[in-house]
Amino acid sequence: MSARSLLSPAVRYHLSKNALDAASVSGTGPKGRILKGDVLQFLSGGKAAPSQTVQSVAGVPVQKAVRPSKPSKQTIEIPKPVFKDIPLTGMRRTIARRLTESKSTIPHSYLSVDCPMDRILQLRQKLKGEGRPVSVNDFIVEAVAGALVRVPEVNVRYENESIVSLDSADVGVAVATDTGLIVPIVFAAQRKSVFQISETVKTLAGKARDRTLQPHEFQGGSISVSNLGMFGISNFTAIINPPQASILAVGGTQLRPNIDAQSVVTMTYCYDARAITEDAAGTFLNILRHNLEVPTLILREL
């Protein structure tokens, strides 16, 4: 066995690590044996390695490790969002302030009921055929006024930490305008027919959209009616318009063939728990439902 083949583990390690052939390194040990220092000296002398694939000491080809190239970094540009600041109008600023105050200071409570509307819808079609068109919302306003009379405990406002009871059923009707939502009042709605309510609402809505409403036409009342049924909304909750103590959120008519009434509307009564008890709110909703299911008062007007 030649001295060159008697390699220590350290020498074998450095030869393999640097892909060197033992024959390319001159040994200075006994009988020309290659020492660890010989390999390090060879490397420090700038000698080039023979090739990437060389014959190892044991005769097995050794592949020189090749460091993988780093992937190139690509800069991805994220498009900046395009937006426009729209300053609030005076009305929207007032609405924002009042709604924030309402939601943060008034303890809102909610009760919902499904009101059968078959009789009302049939009656509306009959009146339309007679040339006396009225909207579903007109019927609802009249039914609300009748329920307020029956349950005076909910016909109240909350002002200056006091409950103010009202003698008249003054019902607000939410009207959407270009500048925001405004709620004109149908005063003494309990003394008006559905046709008078319809004319009053049309007049007030027109003035609201023309911005000609007078302050006394949208101040007061104990309850508001907000109807989103025409937008396909099935149900929702609304924010009380202080000092009123409640608001009725009216959804759209839904067909439910598996119950006695095929057409129902979900109504959510939002009330100020400081001024209206849960029992009074439940009684009010029950009477409202009955007024729409059996529109006796409306039929008497015809």
Side-chain angles (χ1 to χ4, degrees), residues 168-191:
S168 178
D170 303 331
V171 182
V173 179
V175 177
T177 69
D178 292 339
T179 55
L181 195 71
I182 193 166
V183 187
I185 310 295
V186 179
F187 291 98
Q190 81 279 9
R191 294 198 293 266

Side-chain angles (χ1 to χ4, degrees), residues 52-256:
Q52 287 189 344
T53 303
V54 298
Q55 193 76 15
S56 69
V57 177
V60 180
V62 177
Q63 184 70 29
K64 182 180 179 181
V66 180
R67 181 179 295 177
S69 59
K70 294 183 178 180
S72 59
K73 295 182 179 180
Q74 296 181 353
T75 303
I76 302 176
E77 294 186 2
I78 301 176
K80 295 182 179 179
V82 178
F83 60 89
K84 178 182 179 182
D85 291 329
I86 302 177
L88 293 177
T89 63
M91 177 180 289
R92 286 190 180 275
R93 189 176 295 109
T94 300
I95 292 172
R97 176 179 56 79
R98 288 175 60 83
L99 291 183
T100 301
E101 177 185 353
S102 172
K103 197 62 176 176
S104 59
T105 62
I106 296 177
H108 286 58
S109 292
Y110 308 94
L111 292 177
S112 296
V113 67
D114 288 339
C115 296
M117 298 296 289
D118 289 344
R119 296 285 299 277
I120 291 294
L121 295 177
Q122 293 168 5
L123 186 56
R124 181 171 179 254
Q125 287 298 319
K126 178 178 179 295
L127 294 175
K128 183 179 180 181
E130 296 174 356
R132 297 187 292 173
V134 291
S135 70
V136 171
N137 207 54
D138 297 331
F139 286 114
I140 293 174
V141 170
E142 184 176 47
V144 166
L148 288 176
V149 173
R150 294 279 303 277
V151 190
E153 294 85 357
V154 304
N155 190 22
V156 297
R157 291 203 300 262
Y158 190 87
E159 296 181 274
N160 302 319
E161 299 185 355
S162 298
I163 300 173
V164 179
S165 180
L166 305 180
D167 295 329
S168 178
D170 303 331
V171 182
V173 179
V175 177
T177 69
D178 292 339
T179 55
L181 195 71
I182 193 166
V183 187
I185 310 295
V186 179
F187 291 98
Q190 81 279 9
R191 294 198 293 266
K192 290 180 169 63
S193 70
V194 68
F195 305 107
Q196 291 171 323
I197 289 174
S198 179
E199 289 300 320
T200 302
V201 170
K202 287 178 183 176
T203 300
L204 291 172
K207 295 176 72 173
R209 295 186 179 100
D210 294 337
R211 305 182 190 180
T212 57
L213 274 178
Q214 299 301 310
H216 70 273
E217 294 177 307
F218 58 84
Q219 294 178 352
S222 64
I223 185 174
S224 294
V225 175
S226 180
N227 193 335
L228 294 179
M230 67 287 294
F231 299 110
I233 304 301
S234 57
N235 62 81
F236 66 102
T237 59
I239 300 176
I240 297 170
N241 180 30
Q244 295 180 359
S246 60
I247 184 170
L248 185 69
V250 181
T253 303
Q254 303 175 70
L255 297 179
R256 297 183 184 174

